[in-house]
């Protein structure tokens, strides 16, 4: 289950592009929280806090707690994030309210375990390729995992691993699998050239070029001339 994290926020009383630029100059990030049966609320968050929080993978799949009105805490998830195209600056952040009784749909990271020690991972010239690094799941907030794990310890050369091979915590469903077997896509496979027979290759390089056999008596005829 995903842990909860408290976010220091304040209500934002100004709006517009000019006001947002001033907030950013003051080290604040404009944001909004919406969803549920309540109105959207504009807010602002210290940029330094967000910058450090976003370095933690769990922040993207954690139930966050915002205390933005009447002293009450609202449970939310990160819904959208806008970054500056080349500066290390967060421009805007969106949060979505969640309800304890309503399922939410969210993407969580997929971690691969033991690939280096698997039969495929130890094979020379073979690399295990990750086709997916995050999975869209559906669950209640209380069942939200920070990530999913797929163990590749038994993966052989030529094997593939699919969505259906990922073990799921109780209450968690992979969205694509709910749509049918056709969406049971590959999550990991091996790539690489076939192992060469080194000894044969070396022998081929060292072998002298073959010349056509001389016909019997050819040398003798040349000598007679």
């Amino acid at each position: 289950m995903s842990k909860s994290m408290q976010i220091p926020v304040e209500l934002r009383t100004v709006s517009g592009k000019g006001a947002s630029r001033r907030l950013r100059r003051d080290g604040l990030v404009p944001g909004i929280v919406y969803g549920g049966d309540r109105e959207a609320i504009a807010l602002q968050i210290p940029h330094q806090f967000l910058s450090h929080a976003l370095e933690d993978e769990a922040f993207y799949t954690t139930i966050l707690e915002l205390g933005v009105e009447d002293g009450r805490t609202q449970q939310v998830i990160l819904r959208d994030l806008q970054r500056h195209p080349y500066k290390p600056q967060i421009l805007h952040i969106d949060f979505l309210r969640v309800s304890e009784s309503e399922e939410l749909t969210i993407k969580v990271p997929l971690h691969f375990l033991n690939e280096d020690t698997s039969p495929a991972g130890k094979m020379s010239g073979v690399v295990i390729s990750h086709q997916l690094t995050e999975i869209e799941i559906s669950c209640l907030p209380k069942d939200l995992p920070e990530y999913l794990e797929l163990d590749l310890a038994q993966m052989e050369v030529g094997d593939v691993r699919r969505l259906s091979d990922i073990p799921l915590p109780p209450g968690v469903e992979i969205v694509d699998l709910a749509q049918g077997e056709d969406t049971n896509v590959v999550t990991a496979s091996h790539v690489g050239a076939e192992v060469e027979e080194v000894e044969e290759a070396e022998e081929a390089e060292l072998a002298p070029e073959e010349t056509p056999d001389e016909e019997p008596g050819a040398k003798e005829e040349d000598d007679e001339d």
Side-chain angles (χ1 to χ4, degrees), residues 12 29-35 39-45 66 68 76-80 92-97:
R12 176 161 53 98
V29 178
I32 189 171
V33 56
Y34 56 87
E39 294 183 355
I41 299 175
L43 47 84
Q44 58 194 39
I45 306 172
L66 305 181
V68 295
V76 302
I77 57 173
L78 175 63
R79 179 52 73 190
D80 193 25
H92 196 276
I93 191 166
D94 292 7
F95 297 104
L96 176 68
R97 296 187 184 97

Side-chain angles (χ1 to χ4, degrees), residues 5-89:
M5 183 184 299
Q6 293 188 348
I7 310 299
V9 300
E10 296 179 354
L11 292 178
R12 176 161 53 98
T13 57
V14 294
S15 60
K17 293 183 179 179
S20 293
R21 283 195 294 268
R22 288 192 293 272
L23 284 176
R24 297 183 189 111
R25 285 197 297 267
D26 293 337
L28 299 170
V29 178
I32 189 171
V33 56
Y34 56 87
D37 56 358
R38 305 169 70 177
E39 294 183 355
I41 299 175
L43 47 84
Q44 58 194 39
I45 306 172
H47 187 280
Q48 185 176 10
F49 173 86
L50 272 184
S51 180
H52 284 83
L54 290 168
E55 294 177 358
D56 184 354
E57 180 186 65
F59 185 85
Y60 299 84
T61 55
T62 292
I63 301 298
L64 308 171
E65 294 186 353
L66 305 181
V68 295
E69 62 176 353
D70 302 331
R72 293 180 296 176
T73 298
Q74 298 184 32
Q75 289 193 327
V76 302
I77 57 173
L78 175 63
R79 179 52 73 190
D80 193 25
L81 185 69
Q82 298 177 24
R83 298 180 184 269
H84 195 280
Y86 56 87
K87 295 180 181 179
Q89 183 180 22

Side-chain angles (χ1 to χ4, degrees), residues 27-210:
L28 299 170
V29 178
I32 189 171
V33 56
Y34 56 87
D37 56 358
R38 305 169 70 177
E39 294 183 355
I41 299 175
L43 47 84
Q44 58 194 39
I45 306 172
H47 187 280
Q48 185 176 10
F49 173 86
L50 272 184
S51 180
H52 284 83
L54 290 168
E55 294 177 358
D56 184 354
E57 180 186 65
F59 185 85
Y60 299 84
T61 55
T62 292
I63 301 298
L64 308 171
E65 294 186 353
L66 305 181
V68 295
E69 62 176 353
D70 302 331
R72 293 180 296 176
T73 298
Q74 298 184 32
Q75 289 193 327
V76 302
I77 57 173
L78 175 63
R79 179 52 73 190
D80 193 25
L81 185 69
Q82 298 177 24
R83 298 180 184 269
H84 195 280
Y86 56 87
K87 295 180 181 179
Q89 183 180 22
I90 304 162
L91 301 179
H92 196 276
I93 191 166
D94 292 7
F95 297 104
L96 176 68
R97 296 187 184 97
V98 299
S99 169
E100 293 182 355
S101 59
E102 295 181 6
E103 286 193 347
L104 56 89
T105 300
I106 187 173
K107 290 184 178 181
V108 299
L110 176 60
H111 293 175
F112 295 91
L113 306 179
N114 301 316
E115 61 182 278
D116 293 337
T117 58
S118 68
K122 292 189 291 186
M123 181 69 70
S124 176
V126 172
V127 176
I128 296 178
S129 174
H130 303 161
Q131 272 71 33
L132 296 176
T133 57
E134 58 181 11
I135 305 295
E136 189 172 39
I137 62 171
S138 177
C139 64
L140 290 173
K142 68 179 182 65
D143 297 322
L144 177 62
E146 292 181 13
Y147 51 83
L148 298 177
E149 294 181 333
L150 180 57
D151 193 347
L152 303 180
Q154 304 304 316
M155 190 168 184
E156 301 276 355
V157 174
D159 288 351
V160 297
R161 294 292 183 267
R162 298 182 178 275
L163 287 177
S164 56
D165 295 315
I166 302 173
L168 299 175
V172 177
E173 183 179 60
I174 295 178
V175 173
D176 282 346
L177 288 182
Q179 300 174 7
E181 184 61 29
D182 290 342
T183 58
N184 188 17
V185 298
V186 172
T187 61
S189 62
H190 87 278
V191 295
E194 295 182 359
V195 177
E196 298 180 353
E197 296 292 340
V198 178
E199 293 181 356
E200 291 183 4
E202 291 178 349
E203 290 176 0
E205 291 176 1
L206 296 175
E209 293 183 4
E210 296 182 356

